[in-house]
Each structure stands twice: as structure tokens, then as C-alpha cells.
């Protein structure tokens, strides 16, 4: 059986993510091991000072349209906190005040504070990814992400990125594909 070609970007060396747990955060490695299709996901090492999407795109000549950002949003309803990871193309913004608010059914959504996002996800700031998030957090995926040929996302660490064929997000564990999640 021939495996599909590993996704890549010019100037970066693609490695099989499943074979390099040292290049991803521990919860990401565990999630990849359980994700059908993960053998199609590559990991690339980058300069950790360039982990921000815009900086990485400029330094490695990666179009913003090839990136996908994961933002963590929280809100409360009747004393119950609800958290969601929103995966949107890097050239768009999550519609937190309308679509995410409606989906979470909360009064006032806001971005999860940085210290909590890092502590509770087990990932580094600048590397937070929708892969390997805590149980109970929803994963909302903008409908345009699965249409991407390749999505460059965080790996849980600042020093690397995952290269994921977009279609895998339609079948990611717990993913809810949402039209209009971003604008």
C-alpha cells in the first residue's frame, strides 16, 4: 500500500508528525495517535520567534490563506462555563460576537485568558492548536477550513507547525463544521 505524499512547504522539511512526538506538545501527540488519517499530517520545525501566523507567513513565504488559527472562546450561561476552540483560516476572523455566541448559547463570549489557555490546554502560547484540546471543549471549524488544500496550524509548541490536509478537519474527533464561523 502506498501512503499519500506528505504535505510540504518550500524551504521547510516535512516530517511525519506521528513519528516526531518531540516536535509537538504531549496532548497533541496523544491526539494524533488516535486520529484516523494522521499519517497524512506533517510537522515542520520553525524559529520559535516566528510562531505568530503573520511572522511565520512572512518569514517562510507562506500565504496567509494557507494558515489556520485556533482561538479559544469562553462564556457562561446559568453559571456553567462553556469553552470552544474555533478554527478559522488565518485570513479571516472568528465571528465571536454572533456565530460563536449563538453556538455556545452564552450571554457574553470572550477570548479565554492567556494564562488559562496555556495551563488548561498543555500547549505554549503561539502554538495552541485544535488537536489535543481538553475533553469537554467544543471544536468549531469554519466550513472553509476543510476546503483548504493544506492548513498550517500550531503544534502545541512555538518551535514547530503542523501541515494538515484541510479535508481531515471535516472528520477530526469532535469537530463541528460551521458555515459562517468566520468572516
Amino acid at each position: 500500500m502506498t501512503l499519500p505524499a506528505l504535505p510540504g512547504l518550500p524551504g521547510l522539511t516535512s516530517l511525519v508528525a506521528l513519528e516526531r512526538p518531540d516536535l509537538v506538545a504531549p496532548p497533541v501527540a496523544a491526539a494524533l495517535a488516535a486520529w484516523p488519517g494522521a499519517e497524512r499530517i506533517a510537522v515542520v520545525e520553525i524559529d520559535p520567534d516566528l510562531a505568530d501566523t503573520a511572522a511565520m507567513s512572512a518569514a517562510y513565504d507562506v500565504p496567509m490563506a494557507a494558515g489556520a488559527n485556533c482561538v479559544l472562546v469562553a462564556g457562561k450561561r446559568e453559571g456553567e462555563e462553556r469553552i470552544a476552540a474555533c478554527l478559522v483560516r488565518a485570513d479571516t476572523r472568528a465571528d465571536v460576537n454572533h456565530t460563536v455566541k449563538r453556538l455556545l448559547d452564552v450571554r457574553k463570549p470572550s477570548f479565554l485568558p492567556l494564562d488559562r489557555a496555556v495551563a488548561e490546554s498543555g500547549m505554549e502560547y503561539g502554538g495552541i492548536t485544535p488537536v489535543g484540546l481538553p475533553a469537554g471543549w467544543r471544536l468549531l471549524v469554519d466550513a472553509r477550513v476543510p476546503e483548504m488544500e493544506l492548513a498550517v496550524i500550531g503544534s502545541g509548541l512555538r518551535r514547530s507547525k503542523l501541515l494538515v490536509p484541510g479535508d481531515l478537519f471535516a472528520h477530526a474527533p469532535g469537530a463541528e463544521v460551521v458555515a459562517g464561523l468566520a468572516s
Side-chain angles (χ1 to χ4, degrees):
M1 177 173 93
T2 305
L3 291 176
L6 203 57
L9 294 171
L12 294 170
T13 302
S14 289
L15 306 166
V16 178
L18 287 170
E19 296 175 1
R20 293 302 306 266
D22 58 308
L23 291 178
V24 300
V28 176
L32 286 172
W35 187 1
E39 70 279 354
R40 297 173 50 207
I41 299 174
V43 63
V44 296
E45 290 186 81
I46 64 165
D47 179 336
D49 291 334
L50 302 172
D52 175 73
T53 304
M56 190 258 180
S57 292
Y60 295 102
D61 198 27
V62 176
M64 288 293 283
N69 289 332
C70 180
V71 296
L72 303 178
V73 179
K76 287 187 177 180
R77 171 66 103 199
E78 299 173 1
E80 174 194 346
E81 184 177 52
R82 300 168 186 188
I83 300 174
C86 302
L87 184 65
V88 300
R89 283 186 10 182
D91 61 350
T92 67
R93 291 182 175 261
D95 182 6
V96 174
N97 292 321
H98 298 99
T99 306
V100 177
K101 177 181 177 178
R102 179 180 46 80
L103 290 168
L104 288 181
D105 189 26
V106 296
R107 184 176 305 265
K108 185 175 186 245
S110 60
F111 294 106
L112 196 64
L114 173 62
D115 58 336
R116 281 193 61 203
V118 169
E120 294 179 27
S121 71
M123 301 178 202
E124 297 175 354
Y125 175 70
I128 293 178
T129 183
V131 181
L133 292 169
W137 289 13
R138 290 175 68 183
L139 173 54
L140 307 176
V141 177
D142 184 72
R144 290 173 280 192
V145 173
E147 296 172 355
M148 297 171 70
E149 182 178 336
L150 175 68
V152 180
I153 64 170
S155 67
L157 304 176
R158 291 183 60 84
R159 65 187 183 98
S160 61
K161 294 287 184 181
L162 293 176
L163 308 182
V164 183
D167 66 288
L168 284 180
F169 288 111
H171 309 289
E176 300 171 48
V177 178
V178 179
L181 182 63
S183 56

